[in-house]
Amino acid sequence: MDRKKHRIFWGCLAAAILTAIAVFFACFQITSVKVEGNKNYTEDEIKKMVLSGPLSGNSVLVRFLDPDKRTKDAEFINKVWLERTSRHSLVIHVREKELIGYVKFLDGNLYFDRNGIVQVSTTEELENIPNVEGLKLDSSLSLILSGARRWEKGDEKPDRLVLDEKGQLVLYYGKVEARMGSDKNMDEKMSRLLGIIPQLGGMEGVLHLENVDETSKNVVFDKVLSEAEQEALKKNKNGGTDDQDSSD
């Protein structure tokens, strides 16, 4: 093979290789990325953490990325994995740490999971995670955890939790104070609470669940009446009319 044919051969081979590479990247180019399971991070933040570098744009090569390593410094993330759903589509699955409450400590907040283990220490106050008041760091978390496990995946999370002077649990939903008592029959109490709270929207008062068990038929709610309700009640007691001076 002379020099000219040699150059032509290698030129054609290089062109074929470049064409194959171009076709490979075009056929498996990622054009759609979804993020699922994220709460404390936006989709753009997750994509920025996970998808960077030359491998991140190809749905075949992206499997060689190590998303756990790339997100190891993200304090709210427990695990991340990738799912290729088509030649051009990718789903980033995010499993965040399940934080059920926090206590204030020094100048920050300690967030703990369903096992009572502190997972995050930050000065921020995260949304939808209630503050636990009256809980000492050397005390047992069993009472808090027994209630928290029931609402951690639901929508009826309290605004805050308090352990009163008797060590009994009190939950606050807006202006409604739900007194849960001790951890006895906590499953039944939480079941009743989660069924009642949606019906008390906008109300103020005390919901008594301290002595509720499987045999309890009714739950007492001591409602605080508004001024209009107090006035209407007063009129009803007076026969529907106000006291008037009968003299001319």
Side-chain angles (χ1 to χ4, degrees), residues 234-242:
K234 180 180 178 181
K235 288 183 178 181
N236 287 335
K237 288 182 176 180
N238 292 333
T241 59
D242 292 329

Side-chain angles (χ1 to χ4, degrees), residues 101-112:
Y102 74 95
V103 293
K104 293 185 177 297
F105 181 64
L106 298 179
D107 295 327
N109 303 312
L110 301 179
Y111 288 83
F112 54 88

